[in-house]
C-alpha cells in the first residue's frame, strides 16, 4: 500500500472542507484535500446563500463571482393568507443573498482551494484510520487506483451529514434533538430571475395535513428555481412524511404563482442533523467541521455558511498551533463559543414548532405584523454577530444565554 504524507489532511470537499483547505493553504500549511466523489458532483441542497454565507464568501474573494450569478434582496414570506417581502436586515452582515447550484458552487470552491495551494485528490473514499498514541497517524482511502494511506499531523473531518470518518473516531448524533428531513428539486420557471427568495410557511401534505416545516423557491437566475420542502422532527415526534410526494404537492400548489413550466428534475432528499446535536467533535489532532459537526441552523436548515465559517476557524486554529499540539478541547470550545448559545435557543424554538397545532395557531399572528416577521427573519437566519449591539441582537443573545442554562445536553457535547 502506497503512503502519502501531509501536515493537514482534509477529508470531504464540500463547502466546509474546501474552505478549510483554502484557508489552511493560505496560512502556509501543507494541505491535502480528498473526497470520495469525482468533481463536479451534485449535493442535495436548496442552494441558498444567505448574508451570513455571503460574508464568508467575500472573505474568500468570491463576491464578484457570486454577483455574476443571481442576487436576491430578501425573503418573500407566504402563509396564512399573507405575503410579506422582508429585506435582508441591516447589521454586521451584507444585505444581499444569492443561490448557486451546488454542482457548480462546490466545484468552484474546491478549485479555489487548489489555486490557494492545497493539493486535491477526488474519487478516493476514506475507509479507516490508524491511531498511534491516541492520535490519528494516518487515514486509509480506497479509490480506482486501489488502497492507499495518507499519514498526517492533523486531520480535518468534513465528510458531511453521515460523517463515516467521524463515526470511526467516535462522533455520535443525538436524535432526541430536533432534526430535519428535507428534499430539493429543480424546476423550469419564468420567474427564475425573481430578486426575492420565497418561503411558504404553511406546508401541507397530499391529505392537506399541516406539517412543521416550510417549502421554498430559490430562484437561480438560469431559467430554473430550486424548489424544496423540509419538515422538522425529533425522536419523540418523528417526521412521518414522504418528501418527494410532498414536493409534488407543493409544486402543484404554487405552479401558477411561480410560473413553473416543467416537472420536478433531480428530486432528492436527506436527513439533516442540526444545532450542534453531536458529541465527539474533536480529538487530540482531529476536528469535525460543517455538517459532520451538525453545524446547521435548526430554524432554517442552512449550513453552507457554517461550513464555510468552521472551515476558516479550524484552519486558523491549526495555523496558530504546533503540529504536535493537542487541539481537541480548543476546537470543541471554539464551536461552542461561536454557535452554542444561538444553536441552543434555535433548536429549542424549532422543537416547539414540532408540537402539533402550534404553527397554525401562532403563524397567523406573526404574519399580520411586518415588524414581528422582520425580527423573525433576523433571528431565524441567526443574522446576529458579536458586533451587533441593537435591541433585537441583544434579545437574541440573552435568549441564547438563558437557553443553554436549561440544556440537558449542550450543543457539541
Ligand atoms: C434538502 C436540503 C436543502 C438544504 N438547503 C440549504 C440551503 O439552501 N442553504 C444552506 O446554506 N444549506 C442548506 N442545506 C444544508 C447544506 O447542504 C449543508 O449544510 C452543507 O452542504 C454542509 O457542507 P459540508 O461541506 O459540511 O458537507 P457536504 O457538502 O455534504 O460535503 C461532504 C463531502 O464529503 C465527502 N465524503 C463523504 N464521505 C466521505 C469519505 N468517507 N471519504 C471521502 N469523502 C467523503 C462527500 O462526497 C462530500 O463531497 C440543505 C440541506 C438539505 C438536505
Amino acid at each position: 500500500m502506497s503512503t502519502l504524507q501531509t501536515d493537514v489532511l482534509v477529508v470531504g470537499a464540500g463547502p466546509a472542507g474546501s474552505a478549510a483547505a483554502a484557508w489552511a493553504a493560505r496560512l502556509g500549511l501543507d494541505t491535502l484535500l480528498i473526497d470520495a466523489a469525482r468533481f463536479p458532483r451534485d449535493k442535495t441542497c436548496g442552494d441558498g446563500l444567505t448574508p451570513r454565507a455571503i460574508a464568508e464568501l467575500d472573505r474568500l474573494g468570491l463576491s464578484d463571482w457570486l454577483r455574476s450569478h443571481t442576487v436576491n434582496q430578501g425573503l418573500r414570506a407566504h402563509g396564512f393568507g399573507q405575503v410579506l417581502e422582508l429585506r435582508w436586515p441591516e447589521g454586521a452582515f451584507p444585505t444581499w443573498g444569492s443561490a448557486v447550484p451546488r454542482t457548480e458552487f462546490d466545484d468552484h470552491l474546491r478549485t479555489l482551494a487548489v489555486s490557494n495551494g492545497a493539493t486535491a485528490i477526488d474519487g478516493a473514499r476514506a475507509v479507516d484510520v490508524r491511531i498511534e498514541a491516541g492520535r490519528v497517524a494516518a487515514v486509509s482511502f480506497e479509490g480506482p487506483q486501489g488502497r492507499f494511506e495518507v499519514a498526517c499531523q492533523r486531520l480535518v473531518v468534513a465528510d458531511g451529514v453521515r460523517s463515516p470518518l467521524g463515526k470511526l473516531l467516535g462522533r455520535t448524533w443525538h436524535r432526541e434533538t430536533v432534526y430535519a428531513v428535507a428534499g430539493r428539486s429543480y424546476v423550469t420557471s419564468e420567474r427564475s430571475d425573481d430578486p426575492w427568495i420565497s418561503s411558504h410557511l404553511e406546508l401541507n401534505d397530499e391529505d392537506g395535513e399541516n406539517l412543521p416545516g416550510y417549502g421554498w423557491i430559490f430562484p437561480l437566475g438560469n431559467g430554473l428555481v430550486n424548489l424544496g420542502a423540509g419538515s422538522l422532527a425529533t425522536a419523540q415526534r418523528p417526521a412521518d412524511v414522504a418528501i418527494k410526494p410532498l414536493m409534488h404537492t407543493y409544486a402543484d400548489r404554487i405552479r401558477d404563482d411561480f410560473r413553473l413550466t416543467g416537472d420536478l428534475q433531480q428530486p432528492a432528499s436527506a436527513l439533516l442533523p442540526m444545532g450542534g446535536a453531536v458529541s465527539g467533535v474533536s480529538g487530540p489532532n482531529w476536528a469535525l467541521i460543517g455538517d459532520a459537526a451538525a453545524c446547521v441552523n435548526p430554524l432554517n436548515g442552512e449550513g453552507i455558511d457554517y461550513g464555510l465559517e468552521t472551515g476558516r476557524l479550524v484552519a486558523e486554529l491549526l495555523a496558530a498551533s504546533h503540529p504536535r499540539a493537542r487541539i481537541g478541547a480548543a476546537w470543541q470550545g471554539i464551536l461552542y463559543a461561536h454557535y452554542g448559545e444561538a444553536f441552543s435557543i434555535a433548536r429549542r424554538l424549532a422543537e416547539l414548532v414540532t408540537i402539533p397545532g402550534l404553527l397554525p395557531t401562532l403563524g397567523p399572528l406573526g404574519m399580520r405584523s411586518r415588524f414581528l416577521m422582520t425580527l423573525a427573519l433576523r433571528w431565524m437566519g441567526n443574522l446576529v454577530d458579536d458586533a451587533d449591539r441593537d435591541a433585537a441582537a441583544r434579545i437574541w443573545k440573552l435568549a441564547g444565554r438563558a437557553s443553554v442554562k436549561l440544556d440537558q445536553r449542550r450543543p457539541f457535547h
Side-chain angles (χ1 to χ4, degrees), residues 19 56 104 136 147 180 211 218 267 272 282 284 322 326 346-347 376 380 391:
E56 215 46 44
E104 180 187 352
V136 171
R147 197 169 167 122
L211 297 171
F218 293 167
L272 203 50
S282 54
H322 187 275
R326 295 173 73 87
R347 67 195 204 183
M380 285 175 67

Side-chain angles (χ1 to χ4, degrees), residues 11-17 34-37 39 41 43-49 102 106 124-127 141 158-161 164-165 182-184 216 218 229 268-272 289-292 295-296 301-305 307:
V11 176
I34 305 189
D35 198 289
F39 282 71
R41 62 102 179 87
K43 153 79 177 82
T44 304
C45 187
D47 303 330
L49 300 167
R102 289 290 297 272
D106 289 23
R125 180 174 300 280
V127 290
F141 292 86
D159 55 354
V161 78
L165 186 54
R184 73 91 225 259
W216 70 79
F218 293 167
S269 62
L271 285 180
L272 203 50
I289 62 171
D291 274 11
C295 286
V296 172
E302 64 174 355
I304 296 173
D305 41 7

Side-chain angles (χ1 to χ4, degrees), residues 50-56 93 302 305-306 309 339 381-384:
T50 62
R52 206 176 168 114
I54 302 291
E56 215 46 44
F93 294 105
E302 64 174 355
D305 41 7
Y306 300 102
E309 288 177 12
Y339 309 117
N382 192 18
L383 295 172
V384 173

Side-chain angles (χ1 to χ4, degrees), residues 9 15 41 43 87 128-129 134 163 190 216 222 248 256-257 279-280 290 301 307 311 353 412:
L9 171 61
R41 62 102 179 87
K43 153 79 177 82
R87 285 188 178 277
D128 207 358
V129 281
S163 191
E190 288 168 11
W216 70 79
N222 61 357
H248 278 285
D256 291 344
D257 266 8
S279 48
V353 174
F412 311 109

